[in-house]
Amino acid sequence: MSDRRVPEGYDPYAFEPFAVTADLAVLTVREERLQVLLVERGQEPYAGSWALPGGFVLPPESAEQAARRELAEETGLSEATVAGLHLEQLRTYSEPDRDPRMRVVSVAFTALVPDPPEPRGGGDAAQARWMPYDTVRGLAFDHDRILADAHERVGAKLEYSCLATAFCPPEFTLGELRHVYETVWGVELDRPNFRRKVLTTPGFVQAVEGPPRLTGGRGKPAALYRAGGATTLHPPLLRPEGRPA
Amino acid sequence: MSDRRVPEGYDPYAFEPFAVTADLAVLTVREERLQVLLVERGQEPYAGSWALPGGFVLPPESAEQAARRELAEETGLSEATVAGLHLEQLRTYSEPDRDPRMRVVSVAFTALVPDPPEPRGGGDAAQARWMPYDTVRGLAFDHDRILADAHERVGAKLEYSCLATAFCPPEFTLGELRHVYETVWGVELDRPNFRRKVLTTPGFVQAVEGPPRLTGGRGKPAALYRAGGATTLHPPLLRPEGRPA
DNA sequence: CCTTTAAGAGTCACCTTGACTATAAAGGAG
DNA sequence: CTCCTTTATAGTCAAGGTGACTCTTAAAGG
């Protein structure tokens, strides 16, 4: 940034102002599907349309702080939950005509949540709910594109980071972790190979000591693991077949 | 983005306005070093300090359009050159106090240029010049951090994309391409192994037919190559030793 | 003419990976 | 209770990619 166009006695109101918003693509894996948190708009433009949650960045906030606040307001997640959430900046959308009313620049974030509570539709949103990613179309503004970019980014990050654990509860089985990859990538992975890769990568997961097994599903009970300290995968866990992007 | 806080007859001037700028971390490899394009500020704040080139996003522009315009104005690169430049959005910096005067949100971009012309210091910049990356400190605003983020991002992208060719002229030798990796990563790579990797990756580079060799340096003349059609590297070309990020 | 420098060809062992087989431990159906 | 299905977990094996090296070729410089 720079003020080279701004004379000493610059009047901030002399220019057409820009509004800055923070929007969130909140993703989760539920019921074997990738799901997105959406809100229904109550006002024009796009009244009645579904949109990504988000809202204006207020004067004392950073974009990320605004994103966390809006998420808490609109979904009923507790402040503590939102504060500990894995939130990552996706990119900024600044096309001049993306909002019909005025100039709005949107800083988009991606959030990954495990086993989410039902959203309450609070705040200013008419209602809020989880929707399966592949059934979502026709969102307000350019939110279809933001959502697609978020999906692509998350899919790519799974390859070379330990991000997948952010989709899982604190303790999880390797089957659950594998489901995350399969759901986001839309492919099936070989169980033994996936297991070998995860367990031989130092710091990806760590075994839980106490009760060595968990029951609940159909097959043989699985051991529980916690997220390890590592954040990146070397070498990466590449998608089979297709190219990323 | 959303207008949930905005009543029907919303007055854009009722809020403290945000200014939006586009700043660029323009990188090149010259004289065996990674270099950055900087401008000297002529006005307060930070008058006399060096900063990344950039400026305000004007009402009819997207942030990327503003970035290209500012780059052309301040460095003397032709409009055609700037239009064809590899420009990638880095991230957006929105901390409330990053500009002492008013609320300024900066969308940062990374640009990679091959064999750059001397900047002219045109536009509003007092002067402009290339500086070696590792000697740069004390830039205006939070530009030190933006620059560090750009370096990290570029280093990471070299691993899994064909981005390195963007640092090279249209026709280049494998030695030049290898220098890009070595300079950005700060490591030495094994010549034969690098060659094997690049040549066996489909679409990374394509051999130039005509005059099969180029002279100029000291050793055996090298064959020339052009960038191939591929954009991603599968499998990636990982940095030796250290972790990314 | 010899040294230096870098390109380019080739070798070899190791590690990772993909494909696959086998066994163990649960639930459900008959 | 037994068979069948499902899932976890333990292995095996071959192909491919990579790191570490060696060797040859072709220029420039002294």
Side-chain angles (χ1 to χ4, degrees):
Chain A
M1 122 232 101
S2 126
D3 65 344
R4 273 171 279 95
R5 300 181 175 291
V6 182
E8 272 303 317
Y10 173 60
D11 171 15
Y13 294 87
F15 284 95
E16 176 192 352
F18 286 56
V20 179
T21 61
D23 293 315
L24 295 109
V26 186
L27 301 176
T28 195
V29 173
R30 233 183 24 165
E31 297 163 4
E32 310 280 300
R33 308 178 79 172
L34 183 65
Q35 309 226 11
V36 199
L37 184 58
L38 298 179
V39 298
E40 187 187 355
R41 291 179 56 80
Q43 298 185 17
E44 292 297 337
Y46 297 102
S49 288
W50 292 87
L52 299 178
F56 285 100
V57 178
L58 303 180
E61 292 176 325
S62 69
E64 181 172 329
Q65 288 166 344
R68 291 187 192 275
R69 175 180 50 75
E70 291 285 344
L71 184 59
E73 287 178 10
E74 298 186 341
T75 66
L77 290 175
S78 72
E79 295 286 347
T81 304
V82 166
L85 211 61
H86 180 95
L87 223 167
E88 182 176 316
Q89 191 173 316
L90 178 62
R91 54 159 290 187
T92 294
Y93 298 83
S94 63
E95 281 64 43
D97 57 352
R98 56 183 299 281
D99 188 309
R101 295 161 302 169
M102 64 175 289
R103 192 61 200 272
V104 178
V105 170
S106 170
V107 184
F109 292 84
T110 299
L112 307 179
V113 300
D115 190 23
E118 267 310 311
R120 285 203 320 241
D124 310 289
Q127 56 172 315
R129 56 172 295 198
W130 292 98
M131 290 185 61
Y133 172 80
D134 46 17
T135 68
V136 173
R137 262 180 299 281
L139 296 181
F141 305 105
D142 51 0
H143 289 192
D144 279 339
R145 184 187 170 194
I146 297 178
L147 180 56
D149 289 348
H151 182 217
E152 181 185 324
R153 173 79 67 91
V154 169
K157 286 212 81 170
L158 288 189
E159 293 193 323
Y160 57 90
S161 77
C162 300
L163 191 63
T165 56
F167 278 108
C168 297
E171 299 191 347
F172 52 87
T173 68
L174 294 187
E176 291 170 339
L177 188 64
R178 184 168 42 80
H179 274 311
V180 169
Y181 281 88
E182 292 179 332
T183 305
V184 174
W185 286 349
V187 297
E188 283 213 352
L189 299 178
D190 180 83
R191 249 186 288 253
N193 289 342
F194 179 83
R195 175 187 185 78
R196 178 181 57 191
K197 174 65 180 178
V198 171
L199 292 183
T200 62
T201 299
F204 194 171
V205 298
Q206 59 182 100
V208 171
E209 294 296 334
R213 289 158 188 284
L214 163 84
T215 181
R218 278 231 264 260
K220 175 179 178 177
L224 287 176
Y225 295 86
R226 264 189 256 273
T231 58
T232 59
L233 254 47
H234 269 259
L237 202 170
L238 299 177
R239 286 172 172 95
E241 285 290 306
R243 303 284 68 79
Chain B
M1 116 239 100
S2 129
D3 63 346
R4 271 169 284 96
R5 298 182 176 289
V6 182
E8 271 303 317
Y10 174 60
D11 171 15
Y13 294 87
F15 284 95
E16 178 193 351
F18 285 57
V20 178
T21 60
D23 293 314
L24 295 109
V26 186
L27 301 176
T28 195
V29 173
R30 231 180 30 161
E31 297 162 4
E32 311 277 303
R33 308 178 79 171
L34 183 65
Q35 309 227 9
V36 199
L37 183 59
L38 298 179
V39 298
E40 187 187 356
R41 291 179 56 80
Q43 297 185 18
E44 292 297 334
Y46 296 101
S49 288
W50 292 87
L52 300 178
F56 285 100
V57 178
L58 302 180
E61 292 175 325
S62 68
E64 180 172 330
Q65 288 167 344
R68 289 187 194 276
R69 174 182 50 76
E70 290 285 345
L71 184 59
E73 288 178 10
E74 297 186 342
T75 67
L77 291 175
S78 74
E79 295 286 345
T81 304
V82 167
L85 211 59
H86 181 95
L87 222 167
E88 182 178 317
Q89 191 175 314
L90 178 60
R91 54 160 289 187
T92 294
Y93 298 82
S94 63
E95 281 64 44
D97 56 352
R98 56 183 298 281
D99 189 307
R101 295 161 300 168
M102 63 175 291
R103 194 59 200 271
V104 177
V105 170
S106 170
V107 184
F109 292 84
T110 299
L112 306 178
V113 300
D115 191 24
E118 267 309 311
R120 285 203 321 240
D124 310 288
Q127 56 173 315
R129 56 171 295 199
W130 293 99
M131 289 184 61
Y133 173 80
D134 47 17
T135 67
V136 173
R137 263 181 298 279
L139 296 182
F141 305 105
D142 50 2
H143 289 193
D144 278 338
R145 185 186 168 195
I146 296 178
L147 180 57
D149 289 347
H151 182 218
E152 181 184 323
R153 172 79 65 92
V154 169
K157 286 213 78 168
L158 289 188
E159 293 194 322
Y160 57 90
S161 77
C162 299
L163 191 64
T165 57
F167 278 108
C168 297
E171 300 192 346
F172 52 86
T173 68
L174 294 187
E176 291 170 339
L177 188 64
R178 185 169 43 79
H179 273 311
V180 170
Y181 281 89
E182 293 178 332
T183 305
V184 174
W185 286 348
V187 298
E188 282 213 353
L189 299 178
D190 181 82
R191 247 184 290 254
N193 289 342
F194 179 83
R195 174 188 186 77
R196 178 182 58 190
K197 174 67 180 175
V198 171
L199 293 182
T200 61
T201 299
F204 195 171
V205 298
Q206 59 181 102
V208 170
E209 294 295 334
R213 287 154 189 288
L214 165 83
T215 183
R218 278 232 263 259
K220 177 179 177 179
L224 287 176
Y225 295 85
R226 261 189 258 274
T231 57
T232 59
L233 253 47
H234 269 260
L237 202 171
L238 299 176
R239 287 171 171 94
E241 284 289 309
R243 304 285 67 80

